[in-house]
Amino acid sequence: MKISDLAKATNTLPETVRFYEREGLLPAPARTEANYRMYSAEHVQRLAFIRHCRSLDMTLAEIRTLLHFKDAPTEDCADVDGLIARHLD
């Protein structure tokens, strides 16, 4: 799907999608021969997660930490527990 489709699916502006890509929160998508970004269902899920975290007033650094552990589920998650506890306080 193109960036406009991803943006509509997640109620996000295309500029915001590009920003999350630059920040490393959203992986770079594949490109077509015409250099258009082509997003997958995984991008939709990850962007929806990011948007949900932002709606909870999480910082980009906090989201980055959560995504790191989401991508590496075998690592010790004590840092995530602490992050969530601090955020809930």
Side-chain angles (χ1 to χ4, degrees):
M1 75 180 67
K2 292 183 180 178
I3 194 168
S4 60
D5 299 323
L6 176 64
K8 286 178 190 173
T10 58
N11 196 29
T12 306
L13 294 173
E15 294 81 18
T16 303
V17 173
R18 290 185 199 100
F19 172 75
Y20 290 146
E21 282 180 38
R22 284 191 306 272
E23 289 295 312
L25 297 173
L26 197 60
R31 297 273 186 158
T32 66
E33 288 183 18
N35 207 30
Y36 288 106
R37 291 171 169 91
M38 292 304 295
Y39 296 93
S40 65
E42 290 80 23
H43 286 99
V44 174
Q45 292 172 347
R46 191 168 181 107
L47 184 54
F49 177 80
I50 293 167
R51 299 279 293 160
H52 181 73
C53 290
R54 291 296 293 149
S55 76
L56 298 172
D57 294 327
M58 291 187 145
T59 66
L60 295 182
E62 290 171 328
I63 295 168
R64 191 172 285 110
T65 299
L66 290 176
L67 289 171
H68 169 76
F69 286 100
K70 185 175 186 289
D71 293 339
T74 59
E75 290 188 21
D76 180 19
C77 61
D79 291 340
V80 171
D81 292 341
L83 184 149
I84 298 299
R86 286 189 305 276
H87 189 73
L88 291 174
D89 288 339

